[in-house]
Amino acid sequence: MKNSMTLDAGLEAMGEATAARLKLTPEQRVLLANHVDAEGDEAKASMVLGEAVDMPFSMPIVGGMGSLTTERQITAWVSLSGYFQVAAPPEGTWSIRVTDMARSGRLVLAAQGIPCGQQVPFSYRTGITCQLRFSVQWSQADDTTLQGQVHTRY
């Protein structure tokens, strides 16, 4: 079953899932996690089991360029794998660069010429915290809203 949540809520949930796998006490979990804000108890339970999570996003594009930065979240060295996918607009192609600002801008994903619907795979291991910055460029120098998702397993 796929679950859907925002990028920030997904990062928070990964921290909670890591705490569960490490068998931390409730007090240690409070110190490690930043108040998990997933969309319901069912989503939280499946994430603890390590299932896949879909994290949709929407990003304004001005003059063909845009960026989005997630909030810094505690993730406790979780290993991530999955894919990035553009859902709209259907025309043009995209270049994307994702970096982890919590780890001095370490590269998570870089790809060019991505059409709508193409899945761009990634694999990354976070540090104690994670703050992702998405920078995109559209093949058209126009204004739009980029919509997509990050599908993640951890």
Side-chain angles (χ1 to χ4, degrees):
M1 177 170 148
K2 291 183 181 178
N3 296 299
S4 181
M5 62 181 53
T6 65
L7 287 171
D8 285 331
L11 286 174
E12 288 180 66
M14 287 175 212
E16 183 67 15
T18 301
R21 285 190 181 137
L22 294 173
K23 299 183 187 310
L24 300 178
T25 66
E27 294 80 17
Q28 291 169 321
R29 285 183 188 205
V30 169
L31 293 173
L32 183 61
N34 281 341
H35 305 285
V36 175
D37 186 20
E39 293 180 4
D41 291 336
E42 183 179 321
K44 291 178 192 175
S46 68
M47 286 180 285
V48 170
L49 298 174
E51 292 187 12
V53 177
D54 290 320
M55 296 176 277
F57 65 90
S58 181
M59 181 186 314
I61 304 299
V62 178
M65 301 182 83
S67 65
L68 178 144
T69 303
T70 66
E71 292 182 25
R72 184 179 294 245
Q73 301 296 331
I74 296 173
T75 54
W77 302 281
V78 70
S79 292
L80 308 173
S81 64
Y83 61 83
F84 168 90
Q85 185 174 30
V86 173
E91 50 286 317
T93 59
W94 297 87
S95 294
I96 180 169
R97 182 175 178 85
V98 181
T99 54
D100 186 348
M101 303 310 290
R103 296 188 77 191
S104 302
R106 183 173 284 189
L107 185 65
V108 176
L109 169 68
Q112 297 179 357
I114 305 166
C116 183
Q118 179 180 331
Q119 295 177 358
V120 181
F122 67 89
S123 181
Y124 182 68
R125 183 171 172 92
T126 71
I128 185 75
T129 61
C130 185
Q131 181 179 29
L132 299 178
R133 177 170 177 79
F134 293 77
S135 300
V136 299
Q137 185 172 358
W138 193 21
S139 61
Q140 301 181 25
D142 204 354
D143 298 347
T144 190
T145 300
L146 170 61
Q147 294 181 13
Q149 74 171 343
V150 178
H151 178 83
T152 307
R153 291 185 186 274
Y154 53 96

